[in-house]
Amino acid sequence: MPNTSQPVHRTALVASAVALLGLLSACGSESSTSSAPQPTKAPRSTGPDTGTVTRTATAPAVTTAPSDTAGSASASARTDGRCHTSELRAAVGRVDPGAGQRNFPVVLTNTSDRTCTLYGYPGAAFVDASGSQLGPDPERAPSSPRTVTLTAGESAWAGLSFSSPQISGARTATPAALLVTPPDEHDPLKVKWTAGEVPVGGHESSVSVTALEPGTGP
């Protein structure tokens, strides 16, 4: 009987070697594939505690027209604030007699080129030729002061009143001038006094002045 064990054994060895070689090739290919560098993904920024994606938006450019600050300040300076003594002219209107009283409108006129305001009572004092005051300061008559706005050339007036000396029997003097001080100012305006004697002492010698209001008199 012929001996076939050796060829069969050799064939089996060859088959085993081929199988082992295939297994090694497969392992090498798998190792090469797993070690290849993977593409890196860009990191995602998330908002705090929300997990949501935060995208930065670019704000559109805004063009702002230049403001005329200097022009606004200049306009404000021309139209705001109280009237100063240097911007006013004082005058005394005609006497308005009545019930034993002598009443005079004391008028303040805006001579400046801006609009300004007056509020309250003017100061008033009779003085002689040397500038000395005659009699006490006038009392303020009960009234309701209000702001009077004067554009250039406009006027405001206050009433100056006292009892007729011929009736009251008060001691009198004839002033040379009336000093008129605008509200909240220190410098007076001098007006020549031509209306004769005024009470300066004794009974019934008080002089009163009212708050300013628009116009030149009643």
Side-chain angles (χ1 to χ4, degrees), residues 1-166:
M1 185 170 182
N3 188 3
T4 61
S5 59
Q6 289 185 357
V8 171
H9 181 67
R10 187 180 294 110
T11 302
L13 289 176
V14 172
S16 298
V18 171
L20 179 61
L21 182 60
L23 179 61
L24 292 175
S25 297
C27 290
S29 175
E30 183 178 348
S31 174
S32 175
T33 301
S34 62
S35 63
Q38 300 297 314
T40 303
K41 295 183 179 180
R44 302 177 69 189
S45 174
T46 60
D49 303 326
T50 62
T52 57
V53 178
T54 301
R55 294 181 174 83
T56 303
T58 302
V62 178
T63 302
T64 304
S67 60
D68 187 8
T69 305
S72 299
S74 177
S76 176
R78 289 196 304 269
T79 59
D80 294 340
R82 73 174 188 268
C83 301
H84 300 293
T85 300
S86 61
E87 300 173 308
L88 298 168
R89 180 181 68 248
V92 177
R94 292 186 301 175
V95 62
D96 179 23
Q101 289 286 111
R102 304 191 72 189
N103 308 301
F104 299 86
V106 178
V107 182
L108 293 173
T109 301
N110 181 8
T111 60
S112 72
D113 60 357
R114 74 180 185 104
T115 297
C116 58
T117 60
L118 293 171
Y119 176 85
Y121 296 81
F126 293 111
V127 296
D128 61 18
S130 66
S132 298
Q133 183 169 337
L134 301 172
D137 291 338
E139 299 175 352
R140 291 182 173 183
S143 57
S144 300
R146 56 173 171 157
T147 300
V148 180
T149 301
L150 301 180
T151 60
E154 287 189 325
S155 302
W157 72 282
L160 182 73
S161 302
F162 52 85
S163 297
S164 175
Q166 290 80 8

